[in-house]
Amino acid sequence: MHFAVSGVDCPIWLPPLVAFVVSFFTSMGGVSGAFLLLPFQMSFLGFTSPAVSPTNLVYNIVSIPSGVWRYLREGRMVWPLTWVVILGTLPGVVAGGFIRLAWLPDPGPFKVFVACVLLYIGARMFWDLAKGRRKAKEPLLEGQPALCVVEHCRITSRSLCFTYAGREYACSTPMIFFLSLAVGMVGGVYGIGGGSIVAPFFVAVCGLPVHAVAGAALMGTFVTSVVGVAFYQAIAPLYSGQMAVAPDWLLGALFGLGGLGGMYCGARLQKRVKPIYIKVMLGLILLGTAAKYLVGYFMN
């Protein structure tokens, strides 16, 4: 099948299949999987124009609601955390869109940027794993029964608190906001919504349980993806005849349909899977992809 906007030629079943497999695993950690689908589109499908970023965000819009709905149904949505993430990432994603078009329209430098983002995420995941090993004596929340729900959410200008599985957790509200602002900028450039960066940060740096923050990270990614797609679509006429900026809606929707099923299944099975297996696999994929981009760029 030929996709006119992106110029991609591939079987119609390939995007949904890839998206289902990717999102099934990544959604367990509060990540949509867009950070892996973008390298797939650039390297395997040959989609390298700036339009690949909003196309990736279309995938988020279509696929994320099923995962969010599952977390809501199970009472595992930290709403104060969700709103702080959204307020921070919204202005950041617009700024990131301008950065993408002004300074990173060429696929070469953009791949270096992508590699740096992937290196950070992969390194953060392995750091989280190493940190978890050193704290092996602490009670683990992974694999708790379905009765574990988020309760007693409180937020002030200084801190955000909630209770999960009988334990109280807290983090700094300003830190979450400014982190989300920075993540929004990166997400706007990369076309990932930012969840793949902010979710590992919540777990590794803030010490929050992955089973409780996954829904908030996905919800924040969904809202910022909507804004990001609207931004790219609105400014597309300004670049008419120069480069493709508007998303490839059909290709993004096909990825999204696969992600819709994958995220629901991943969110449903999350509590039954040990995060260490998912993080190791994702970390290896991230570092391998980043190394390929960097070596390819500097060897040319």
Side-chain angles (χ1 to χ4, degrees), residues 23 25-33 64 66-72 74-79 81-82 85 150 162 164 194-196 198-200 202-203 208-222 263 266-268 270-271 275 278-279:
S23 62
F25 292 102
T26 59
S27 62
M28 297 183 188
V31 179
S32 70
I64 286 177
S66 65
V68 169
W69 179 81
R70 189 68 205 184
Y71 286 122
L72 278 170
E74 296 183 3
R76 291 187 287 134
M77 181 69 72
V78 186
W79 281 112
L81 181 64
T82 303
V85 170
V150 174
F162 64 92
Y164 179 72
S196 57
V198 77
F202 288 159
V203 176
L208 302 180
V210 64
H211 291 104
V213 303
L218 282 178
M219 187 65 177
T221 299
F222 173 77
M263 286 201 192
R268 183 181 180 86
Q270 185 211 42
K271 296 186 300 296
I278 304 169
K279 291 178 181 178

Side-chain angles (χ1 to χ4, degrees), residues 52-293:
V52 70
S53 292
T55 300
N56 222 33
L57 294 177
V58 171
Y59 155 78
N60 282 339
I61 294 173
V62 177
S63 62
I64 286 177
S66 65
V68 169
W69 179 81
R70 189 68 205 184
Y71 286 122
L72 278 170
R73 183 178 177 183
E74 296 183 3
R76 291 187 287 134
M77 181 69 72
V78 186
W79 281 112
L81 181 64
T82 303
W83 294 122
V84 174
V85 170
I86 291 174
L87 290 175
T89 51
L90 283 181
V93 75
V94 175
F98 280 113
I99 293 172
R100 170 73 162 109
L101 296 173
W103 293 307
L104 294 170
D106 183 70
F110 182 60
K111 283 188 175 183
V112 174
F113 173 83
V114 170
C116 293
V117 174
L118 296 181
L119 278 174
Y120 166 78
I121 301 171
R124 173 56 66 184
M125 283 188 174
F126 281 113
W127 172 258
D128 183 23
L129 290 174
K131 187 178 179 181
R133 284 174 176 259
R134 291 196 298 268
K135 295 184 176 181
K137 294 182 179 180
E138 294 184 2
L140 299 177
L141 293 178
E142 288 80 1
Q144 290 287 336
L147 294 177
C148 292
V149 296
V150 174
E151 299 176 308
H152 310 303
C153 295
R154 303 180 302 279
I155 185 171
T156 67
S157 59
R158 293 186 176 183
S159 65
L160 186 156
C161 308
F162 64 92
T163 302
Y164 179 72
R167 292 184 56 181
E168 184 170 308
Y169 296 88
C171 56
S172 168
T173 303
M175 180 179 67
I176 296 298
F177 175 82
F178 287 111
L179 168 73
S180 301
L181 182 64
V183 165
M185 294 180 65
V186 174
V189 173
Y190 190 11
I192 58 175
S196 57
I197 302 174
V198 77
F201 185 92
F202 288 159
V203 176
V205 178
C206 299
L208 302 180
V210 64
H211 291 104
V213 303
L218 282 178
M219 187 65 177
T221 299
F222 173 77
V223 174
T224 54
S225 296
V226 171
V227 174
V229 168
F231 167 78
Y232 277 100
Q233 186 69 54
I235 66 172
L238 301 178
Y239 295 87
S240 178
Q242 302 177 40
M243 54 184 173
V245 173
D248 189 324
W249 288 94
L250 180 57
L251 182 60
L254 286 175
F255 276 114
L257 289 175
L260 191 71
M263 286 201 192
Y264 179 84
C265 295
R268 183 181 180 86
L269 297 176
Q270 185 211 42
K271 296 186 300 296
R272 298 175 175 85
V273 178
K274 292 183 178 181
I276 186 171
Y277 300 134
I278 304 169
K279 291 178 181 178
V280 168
M281 179 196 66
L282 291 178
L284 292 175
I285 294 174
L286 288 168
L287 297 180
T289 304
K292 177 185 176 182
Y293 279 174

